[in-house]
Amino acid sequence: MASVIDICNRALSNLGNNRTINSLSEASKEAGQCSLYYESTRDAVLADFPWNFATKRIALADTNNPPSDWAYAYTYPTDCLRIIEIPVPGNRNPSEMMRIQYETGSNGDGTGRLIYTDQPAAWLKYVARISDVNVFESIFQEALSWRLAAAVNMSLTGNADLGNNALNMYSRVIASAGSHSLNETQEPQPPVDEFTIARLS
């Protein structure tokens, strides 16, 4: 099983750094930079793609205090990093016209976020903040190691080209994550029209 330290050491290796760390709290520049950037970089990578392992579905909590232009105001989940959709009840594959409209905003005193929509008893499908490395898919670990490499690069190497290469590799991994995600999803088969049925019979 991978660990935070394993991912950090992969990031350092991606920069050609031969030094490894044993702890984020050790007295080394590498550990200091990894400690500084790891959590924010992890959250950024989670937010960049609808990762299956981090996707949640929950019933939203109604504040019972909607604004004048929306029917409902729901509490924004504290662990939400990226909203995927408000699902259409009873329809897993809605058309563009059927998708439920929403927007986000702040509550009155600015201490929390809200989701505004006209959908009653709304649920939310979203990418959540996941900190347990044991849950991370291998392709996510690879993506995280490259983005973390880009984050710590200038402080450790001062070589902008290495940082740009790390970002390019990160983009490639994110692109390949799309096909990986589809392999874990069974899409509905398109309907067969009457002409095709008659031709095949």
Side-chain angles (χ1 to χ4, degrees), residues 11-19 157 162:
L12 295 173
S13 178
N14 289 342
L15 296 175
N17 192 321
N18 294 324
R19 293 190 61 180
T157 75
L162 288 176

mmCIF file of all heavy atoms in Angstrom, residues 11-19 157 162:
data_model
loop_
_atom_site.group_PDB
_atom_site.id
_atom_site.type_symbol
_atom_site.label_atom_id
_atom_site.label_comp_id
_atom_site.label_asym_id
_atom_site.label_seq_id
_atom_site.Cartn_x
_atom_site.Cartn_y
_atom_site.Cartn_z
ATOM 1 N N ALA A 11 7.249 12.046 -6.202
ATOM 2 C CA ALA A 11 7.301 13.414 -6.728
ATOM 3 C C ALA A 11 8.742 13.899 -6.807
ATOM 4 O O ALA A 11 9.153 14.505 -7.812
ATOM 5 C CB ALA A 11 6.466 14.345 -5.847
ATOM 6 N N LEU A 12 9.528 13.630 -5.775
ATOM 7 C CA LEU A 12 10.934 14.028 -5.783
ATOM 8 C C LEU A 12 11.693 13.298 -6.887
ATOM 9 O O LEU A 12 12.528 13.894 -7.579
ATOM 10 C CB LEU A 12 11.561 13.734 -4.417
ATOM 11 C CG LEU A 12 10.997 14.529 -3.233
ATOM 12 C CD1 LEU A 12 11.583 14.024 -1.917
ATOM 13 C CD2 LEU A 12 11.263 16.023 -3.401
ATOM 14 N N SER A 13 11.391 12.021 -7.063
ATOM 15 C CA SER A 13 12.039 11.247 -8.125
ATOM 16 C C SER A 13 11.677 11.776 -9.500
ATOM 17 O O SER A 13 12.501 11.772 -10.419
ATOM 18 C CB SER A 13 11.641 9.774 -8.006
ATOM 19 O OG SER A 13 12.202 9.002 -9.047
ATOM 20 N N ASN A 14 10.433 12.259 -9.649
ATOM 21 C CA ASN A 14 10.008 12.829 -10.933
ATOM 22 C C ASN A 14 10.838 14.045 -11.321
ATOM 23 O O ASN A 14 10.932 14.395 -12.503
ATOM 24 C CB ASN A 14 8.533 13.231 -10.865
ATOM 25 C CG ASN A 14 7.594 12.038 -10.833
ATOM 26 O OD1 ASN A 14 7.985 10.928 -11.185
ATOM 27 N ND2 ASN A 14 6.360 12.258 -10.401
ATOM 28 N N LEU A 15 11.450 14.674 -10.326
ATOM 29 C CA LEU A 15 12.311 15.839 -10.583
ATOM 30 C C LEU A 15 13.780 15.441 -10.699
ATOM 31 O O LEU A 15 14.652 16.295 -10.820
ATOM 32 C CB LEU A 15 12.153 16.861 -9.457
ATOM 33 C CG LEU A 15 10.764 17.491 -9.305
ATOM 34 C CD1 LEU A 15 10.727 18.385 -8.070
ATOM 35 C CD2 LEU A 15 10.387 18.280 -10.549
ATOM 36 N N GLY A 16 14.050 14.137 -10.641
ATOM 37 C CA GLY A 16 15.424 13.675 -10.699
ATOM 38 C C GLY A 16 16.156 13.826 -9.383
ATOM 39 O O GLY A 16 17.389 13.780 -9.339
ATOM 40 N N ASN A 17 15.411 14.008 -8.305
ATOM 41 C CA ASN A 17 16.006 14.173 -6.983
ATOM 42 C C ASN A 17 16.296 12.799 -6.394
ATOM 43 O O ASN A 17 15.396 11.976 -6.227
ATOM 44 C CB ASN A 17 15.048 14.962 -6.076
ATOM 45 C CG ASN A 17 15.706 15.414 -4.786
ATOM 46 O OD1 ASN A 17 16.485 14.679 -4.191
ATOM 47 N ND2 ASN A 17 15.389 16.633 -4.364
ATOM 48 N N ASN A 18 17.537 12.531 -6.081
ATOM 49 C CA ASN A 18 17.918 11.220 -5.548
ATOM 50 C C ASN A 18 17.675 11.084 -4.052
ATOM 51 O O ASN A 18 17.783 9.983 -3.510
ATOM 52 C CB ASN A 18 19.402 10.947 -5.842
ATOM 53 C CG ASN A 18 19.665 10.812 -7.326
ATOM 54 O OD1 ASN A 18 18.836 10.270 -8.061
ATOM 55 N ND2 ASN A 18 20.797 11.311 -7.786
ATOM 56 N N ARG A 19 17.376 12.189 -3.384
ATOM 57 C CA ARG A 19 17.124 12.133 -1.946
ATOM 58 C C ARG A 19 15.687 11.695 -1.681
ATOM 59 O O ARG A 19 14.760 12.094 -2.397
ATOM 60 C CB ARG A 19 17.366 13.485 -1.300
ATOM 61 C CG ARG A 19 18.818 13.930 -1.320
ATOM 62 C CD ARG A 19 19.018 15.154 -0.458
ATOM 63 N NE ARG A 19 18.669 14.881 0.934
ATOM 64 C CZ ARG A 19 18.747 15.795 1.906
ATOM 65 N NH1 ARG A 19 19.154 17.019 1.637
ATOM 66 N NH2 ARG A 19 18.420 15.486 3.148
ATOM 67 N N THR A 157 14.762 22.856 -7.162
ATOM 68 C CA THR A 157 15.686 22.779 -8.292
ATOM 69 C C THR A 157 15.933 24.130 -8.950
ATOM 70 O O THR A 157 16.995 24.337 -9.556
ATOM 71 C CB THR A 157 15.168 21.813 -9.378
ATOM 72 O OG1 THR A 157 14.090 22.429 -10.099
ATOM 73 C CG2 THR A 157 14.697 20.503 -8.768
ATOM 74 N N LEU A 162 11.864 21.677 -15.617
ATOM 75 C CA LEU A 162 11.434 20.482 -14.889
ATOM 76 C C LEU A 162 9.999 20.631 -14.404
ATOM 77 O O LEU A 162 9.207 19.677 -14.442
ATOM 78 C CB LEU A 162 12.368 20.213 -13.706
ATOM 79 C CG LEU A 162 13.768 19.703 -14.033
ATOM 80 C CD1 LEU A 162 14.597 19.592 -12.755
ATOM 81 C CD2 LEU A 162 13.687 18.355 -14.746
#
